[in-house]
């Protein structure tokens, strides 16, 4: 297996050991509270499921679908961007349906990357932001995950001292795993920088609707001129509790959308048509679930911060996303994120994601997903308290 070129470029899966421990514990009948994977525990609205069943009863709906997505779904996504961000999109040339944002990111990397290209990607970050391009043959130069005051200074140095010159900048806010957020002023600087330096920008906006407080998450495409350099990925997974349905979108720059569409035309026939029809119903129908999910994650976030804090583990409250980025408690920081996660699993019955799995800059942290109800979060806190005492 290690003789294959692309396999050689992939390190061992960091989460595999913790996942194996979790599976073994459950096989022994142990109750494991899984806060490791960002796997929503809710369900889509009833009218979305009804649409899925309705279209699935049509014999013609079981044929191959359209690789770039059915026209109705692309129009629905364009309408969402118009009402949510005030951004006008051409459904034919500026919108494509993907099999979740992860597949879209990976295939866009294949479409626009040549072996030896250099890509600027945040560290720590959702793994596909780096490894989609590594699989495509690129080299990665890390940039900060936080959109702080030194972000553009580091970006400038990265361009000045990297050979060959980087061609792509990847960003993602609200970010996974760190839950950092960015404002429109930051995006304005990104767009100006990219236009001046000749960079493509890939923005991951999968958590667009999971924000806490009164300030909605912006889109980079709200910046005038952004469509000249940027494409943005969104997902139905968290917003509508449709993770297993695998529906996402790429929107923005027509050249990048066209490149992704061309590669996908060789690789897939698109999502199952009834799923696309149901996703259209989700975007065009009542939006109660969006606010309900936001309220759900807010309550879980507040519960986590409160009860884990009382258990002795201070966790900074995230401003957005369905994750908390938690520093390992000081007395146990010497263990590192992998060993700490293993100990937490075996001694407290709580599974989290080790921060090092998101890049070396994630060491010293773990990611906690808000995918269990408040009762289970409180139960997890009791296990954490006993673990920290021990």
């Amino acid at each position: 297996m290690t003789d294959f070129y692309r396999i050689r470029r992939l390190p061992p899966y960091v989460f595999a050991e913790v996942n194996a421990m979790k599976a073994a514990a459950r096989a022994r009948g142990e109750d494991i509270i899984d806060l490791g994977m960002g796997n929503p525990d809710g369900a889509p609205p009833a009218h979305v499921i009804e649409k899925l069943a309705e279209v699935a009863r049509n014999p013609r709906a079981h044929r191959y679908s359209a690789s770039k997505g059915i026209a109705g779904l692309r129009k629905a996504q364009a309408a969402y961007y118009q009402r949510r961000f005030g951004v006008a999109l051409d459904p034919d040339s500026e919108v494509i349906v993907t099999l979740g944002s992860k597949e879209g990111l990976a295939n866009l990397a294949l479409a626009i990357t040549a072996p030896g290209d250099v890509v600027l990607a945040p560290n720590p970050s959702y793994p596909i932001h780096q490894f989609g391009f590594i699989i495509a043959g690129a080299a990665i130069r890390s940039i900060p995950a936080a959109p702080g005051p030194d972000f553009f200074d580091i970006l400038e140095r990265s361009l000045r001292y990297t050979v060959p010159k980087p061609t792509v900048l990847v960003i993602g806010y609200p970010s996974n795993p760190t839950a950092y957020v960015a404002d429109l002023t930051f995006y304005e600087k990104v767009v100006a920088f990219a236009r001046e330096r000749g960079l493509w920008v890939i923005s991951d906006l999968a958590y667009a609707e999971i924000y806490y407080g009164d300030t909605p998450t912006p889109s980079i495409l709200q910046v005038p001129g952004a469509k000249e350099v940027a494409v943005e990925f969104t997902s139905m997974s968290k917003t509508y509790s449709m993770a297993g349905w695998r529906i996402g979108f790429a929107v923005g720059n027509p050249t990048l959308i066209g490149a992704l569409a061309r590669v996908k035309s060789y690789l897939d026939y698109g999502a199952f048509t009834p799923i696309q029809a149901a996703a259209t119903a989700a975007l065009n129908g009542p939006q109660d679930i969006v606010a309900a999910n936001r309220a759900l994650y807010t309550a879980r976030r507040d519960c986590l911060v409160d009860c884990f804090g009382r258990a002795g583990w201070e966790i900074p409250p995230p401003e957005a996303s369905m994750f908390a980025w938690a520093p390992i408690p000081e007395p146990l920081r010497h263990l590192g994120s992998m060993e700490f996660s293993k100990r937490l699993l075996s001694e407290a019955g709580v599974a989290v994601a080790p921060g090092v799995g998101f890049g070396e800059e994630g060491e010293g942290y773990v990611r906690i997903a808000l995918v269990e109800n408040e009762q289970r979060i409180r139960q997890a806190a009791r296990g954490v308290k006993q673990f920290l005492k021990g």
Side-chain angles (χ1 to χ4, degrees):
M1 181 66 75
T2 57
D3 290 333
F4 297 123
Y5 166 70
R6 285 183 174 82
I7 298 301
R8 287 201 309 269
R9 302 201 75 207
L10 297 176
Y13 188 55
V14 172
F15 305 114
E17 193 170 354
V18 175
N19 289 343
M21 287 180 62
K22 181 170 59 181
R26 284 178 167 163
R28 293 191 298 268
E30 297 176 23
D31 180 20
I32 301 298
I33 302 172
D34 191 356
L35 305 178
M37 185 178 182
N39 196 5
D41 60 331
H47 72 275
V48 174
I49 298 173
E50 288 164 7
K51 176 59 71 172
L52 173 72
E54 173 195 328
V55 179
R57 293 189 189 99
N58 182 347
R60 295 180 61 84
H62 298 268
R63 297 179 172 187
Y64 293 125
S65 191
S67 178
K68 68 184 295 185
I70 62 174
L73 182 52
R74 287 183 279 112
K75 290 177 182 177
Q77 177 67 353
Y80 161 74
Y81 259 79
Q82 182 65 66
R83 68 175 180 264
R84 172 66 167 81
F85 302 112
V87 172
L89 294 169
D90 181 346
D92 292 324
S93 64
E94 297 177 338
V95 180
I96 187 169
V97 181
T98 62
L99 305 179
S101 58
K102 187 176 184 178
E103 173 270 325
L105 281 157
N107 279 327
L108 180 59
L110 286 173
I112 67 175
T113 306
D117 281 356
V118 177
V119 172
L120 303 172
N123 189 341
S125 182
Y126 187 49
I128 200 65
H129 293 163
Q130 295 191 17
F131 288 102
F133 286 95
I134 288 172
I135 291 169
I140 300 296
R141 176 147 185 169
S142 294
I143 58 171
D150 61 344
F151 182 90
F152 291 97
D153 290 339
I154 295 173
L155 209 58
E156 178 66 48
R157 288 200 299 272
S158 297
L159 280 177
R160 185 178 301 168
Y161 299 114
T162 302
V163 179
K165 177 188 170 186
T167 56
V168 178
L169 167 64
V170 182
I171 55 175
Y173 303 102
S175 63
N176 176 7
T178 61
Y180 295 141
V181 295
D183 59 20
L184 200 55
T185 299
F186 173 80
Y187 285 134
E188 288 170 351
K189 292 179 180 177
V190 168
V191 170
F193 189 94
R195 293 175 72 183
E196 183 180 341
R197 304 302 199 285
L199 281 172
W200 293 117
V201 179
I202 298 175
S203 170
D204 187 352
L205 193 61
Y207 300 94
E209 301 302 343
I210 304 178
Y211 56 87
Y212 310 122
D214 299 326
T215 305
T217 304
S219 161
I220 193 173
L221 298 182
Q222 291 175 251
V223 178
K227 281 197 286 185
E228 296 176 20
V229 294
V231 69
E232 189 161 70
F233 285 89
T234 55
S235 169
M236 306 285 286
S237 295
K238 281 74 179 182
T239 305
Y240 296 96
S241 299
M242 295 170 64
W245 297 52
R246 307 315 301 135
I247 291 290
F249 305 91
V251 305
N253 180 269
T255 300
L256 295 178
I257 296 298
L260 176 56
R262 185 165 182 180
V263 165
K264 278 177 62 63
S265 70
Y266 284 91
L267 298 176
D268 67 69
Y269 288 109
F272 186 38
T273 298
I275 288 179
Q276 294 196 57
T280 305
L283 285 168
N284 289 341
Q287 298 298 297
D288 310 55
I289 190 174
V290 180
N293 275 345
R294 192 180 303 127
L296 175 76
Y297 288 119
T298 301
R300 291 179 178 182
R301 177 200 68 159
D302 294 345
C303 178
L304 177 82
V305 171
D306 175 58
C307 63
F308 273 50
R310 286 188 283 110
W313 189 357
E314 296 295 329
I315 297 176
E319 295 183 59
S321 86
M322 60 185 297
F323 304 111
W325 187 235
I328 298 171
E330 184 61 43
L332 298 172
R333 198 159 296 174
H334 66 280
L335 294 175
S337 61
M338 176 61 75
E339 184 61 27
F340 174 81
S341 299
K342 290 161 63 176
R343 291 271 300 272
L344 191 66
L345 178 63
S346 62
E347 298 180 35
V350 177
V352 296
V356 72
F358 303 97
E360 64 272 17
E361 296 298 326
E363 187 54 274
Y365 291 81
V366 296
R367 191 194 70 179
I368 302 175
L370 303 172
V371 293
E372 292 275 9
N373 62 44
E374 292 171 56
Q375 179 181 342
R376 292 283 278 173
I377 291 172
R378 293 189 186 97
Q379 181 183 343
R382 290 193 290 272
V384 165
K385 185 174 183 178
Q386 291 302 117
F387 168 62
L388 294 179
K389 279 185 177 180

